[in-house]
Amino acid sequence: MVLDKNFPPLKNDNVLRAARGEPVDRVPVWVMRQAGRYLPEFQEVRATHEFFEVCRTPELACEVTMQPLRRFDLDASIIFSDILVIPQALGITVEMKKGVGPVLPEPLVTPADLERLNQTGTIERLNYVGDAITMMRHMLDGKVPLLGFTGAPWTLMGYMIEGGGSKTMSKAKAWLADYPEASHQLLNILTDQVVNYLVMQVKAGAQMLQVFESSAEHLSKEQYITIAMPYLKRIRDDLQKKLSDEGIDAVPLVLFSKGAMHSLPEQAQLGYDVIGLDWTIDPHEARKLVGPDVTLQGNLDPQDMYKPLEELRELVLTMVRKFGKHRYIANLGHGITPQTPIESMSVLVKAVHEAL
Ligand code: CP3
């Protein structure tokens, strides 16, 4: 396994330039969950390897990270992993059940359960992610930048209390109401780990980072501002400080808060370089709300990938023309879904590059 940090020079840095507000050769595009079940070659790897085994084995993680890049002219790669590796490293069992998704058989039930969290050596237990990132930088040979990522504190708290995905997040929201102090204690624990995890990923070679606040949709606007945002802000500020204290260059930071389009002006104030949009907001409206100094990422409805290809192409062209070439990274408004036809990805990527 090649783990030295002398990485090949980058050939296509459009996504990094877009994130920094610099001119681009073409509108960059990548897709959330671009390595995934819609690809038969991914299914093939999964047929013989359990989900977290793929995450934990750098050779396998790199292979599936590479798969979409072999097929499509994407402008970024994202390391194959999952947001739930942090709860796992804190000592909470996480299983990936076929047809169900993630299951945490021993969720946090009361504040006393916080004592179960093993906060020492947590990041070291995630070194396999760093190894996969370092290995991937070599495998990419500078083709496109490599993104690292993490779940955001509220989203991770939700899974840890619900014991898996939830339509309502009612148990996690009950914690907020019934155990406000313990809730903030948990959010602080997670924030500390997230910051250290992101520092580790940058040291390993991640060139851009995305923070997934995928469960923001369950919070009211007021709760998003009081429960999610303070920790998102601390992640940005502490990460910047830790990197600068160690003399490491900052990398662009993306915030994706699904279902929090009600708070875009507030998000734009957090200091992230890029704000990810879900598909519920119009590009012009989003730009008006965040102002000129933030890059926008998104936001095609993943369901549009099931439309006839000519119709899909028109939707993508319209979207990209609305966002424009400056400070824009094309993506879906959430992860690509398992039944998506592969040709739709080709059409999406091609249409983004041809739109302007
Ligand atoms: O984007 C990429 O290509 C990188 C890989 C990636 C995965 N999960 C792989 C994965 C990323 C960035 C994630 C993040 C993640 N994981 C999020 C945030 C993004 C989002 O979609 O909101 C969340 C909420 C999770 C937790 C999680 N992991 C869920 C809810 C599921 C089930 C999803 C489903 O549709 O069933 C997973 C499993 C998962 N993570 C899969 C993949 C490719 C599919 C599982 C499989 O291969 O069996």
Side-chain angles (χ1 to χ4, degrees):
M1 194 174 9
V2 194
L3 289 179
D4 83 81
K5 305 275 171 70
N6 281 319
F7 298 124
L10 198 48
K11 295 163 195 158
N12 171 357
D13 64 348
N14 283 297
V15 81
L16 303 181
R17 283 195 267 139
R20 297 191 212 106
E22 297 163 11
V24 291
D25 306 330
R26 64 182 193 185
V27 171
V29 55
W30 69 280
V31 169
M32 289 187 271
R33 298 267 180 98
Q34 64 191 25
R37 286 166 293 179
Y38 73 105
L39 290 173
E41 58 271 35
F42 176 83
Q43 304 269 23
E44 208 171 292
V45 172
R46 288 279 286 112
T48 48
H49 301 281
E50 193 270 315
F51 179 80
F52 285 111
E53 182 196 345
V54 180
C55 298
R56 280 199 202 99
T57 313
E59 286 81 0
L60 292 174
C62 288
E63 162 57 25
V64 298
T65 300
M66 201 65 206
Q67 287 174 346
L69 293 145
R70 293 196 191 106
R71 279 186 188 260
F72 315 112
D73 189 14
L74 293 157
D75 296 282
S77 59
I78 178 163
I79 194 67
F80 188 83
S81 184
D82 199 84
I83 62 166
L84 298 175
V85 297
I86 289 186
Q88 241 175 12
L90 284 165
I92 306 288
T93 301
V94 184
E95 294 156 9
M96 201 56 76
K97 291 241 163 90
K98 209 176 165 65
V100 180
V103 174
L104 294 73
E106 292 164 331
L108 306 178
V109 181
T110 71
D113 289 318
L114 295 182
E115 277 161 42
R116 285 167 41 207
L117 301 179
N118 181 0
Q119 296 178 64
T120 51
T122 313
I123 302 308
E124 287 71 18
R125 286 190 287 282
L126 292 170
N127 274 341
Y128 64 86
V129 178
D131 289 347
I133 287 173
T134 304
M135 199 174 158
M136 195 61 209
R137 281 289 302 274
H138 290 286
M139 198 161 163
L140 279 165
D141 194 27
K143 188 178 161 84
V144 292
L146 177 62
L147 275 84
F149 70 91
T150 180
W154 157 249
T155 296
L156 294 176
M157 171 179 170
Y159 281 95
M160 290 165 80
I161 292 171
E162 297 290 335
S166 162
K167 288 214 157 54
T168 57
M169 288 283 158
S170 59
K171 292 189 185 112
K173 290 171 82 174
W175 262 61
L176 296 176
D178 299 341
Y179 314 126
E181 205 174 311
S183 294
H184 284 283
Q185 195 188 336
L186 174 55
L187 290 164
N188 271 307
I189 291 170
L190 291 166
T191 301
D192 291 340
Q193 298 296 351
V194 162
V195 170
N196 292 332
Y197 184 44
L198 293 178
V199 169
M200 182 272 270
Q201 293 187 45
V202 173
K203 286 183 181 170
Q207 291 157 296
M208 183 157 147
L209 297 166
Q210 177 154 321
V211 178
F212 284 93
E213 189 71 285
S214 303
S215 299
E217 59 191 354
H218 297 287
L219 299 174
S220 68
K221 178 180 169 108
E222 191 197 330
Q223 282 177 316
Y224 179 73
I225 288 170
T226 57
I227 304 295
M229 281 200 18
Y231 300 97
L232 295 168
K233 171 104 185 98
R234 185 152 82 77
I235 288 169
R236 187 268 177 198
D237 292 350
D238 287 6
L239 174 66
Q240 239 59 330
K241 178 160 189 332
K242 286 203 174 191
L243 291 175
S244 119
D245 284 352
E246 295 201 45
I248 302 166
D249 288 339
V251 303
L253 200 55
V254 187
L255 171 62
F256 173 64
S257 299
K258 182 167 185 290
M261 301 302 100
H262 47 62
S263 299
L264 285 175
E266 292 83 356
Q267 289 182 47
Q269 296 306 309
L270 289 172
Y272 285 70
D273 304 274
V274 184
I275 299 296
L277 304 173
D278 66 32
W279 63 89
T280 63
I281 189 147
D282 176 77
H284 289 150
E285 199 182 330
R287 175 52 73 196
K288 235 187 283 166
L289 289 167
V290 301
D293 299 329
V294 177
T295 297
L296 290 172
Q297 175 177 282
N299 72 341
L300 194 79
D301 185 344
Q303 197 62 30
D304 289 342
M305 300 289 272
Y306 294 87
K307 295 201 162 138
L309 298 179
E310 198 38 52
E311 202 177 319
L312 169 62
R313 185 181 143 78
E314 287 304 321
L315 288 166
V316 176
L317 292 174
T318 304
M319 171 182 80
V320 174
R321 287 167 189 161
K322 278 187 165 186
F323 278 107
K325 204 168 177 175
H326 181 61
R327 277 202 177 275
Y328 175 53
I329 298 165
N331 204 316
L332 300 181
H334 197 198
I336 189 168
T337 59
Q339 315 303 328
T340 300
I342 288 172
E343 305 75 54
S344 297
M345 267 292 271
S346 309
V347 168
L348 167 73
V349 171
K350 228 164 158 272
V352 168
H353 291 152
E354 287 172 4
L356 293 170

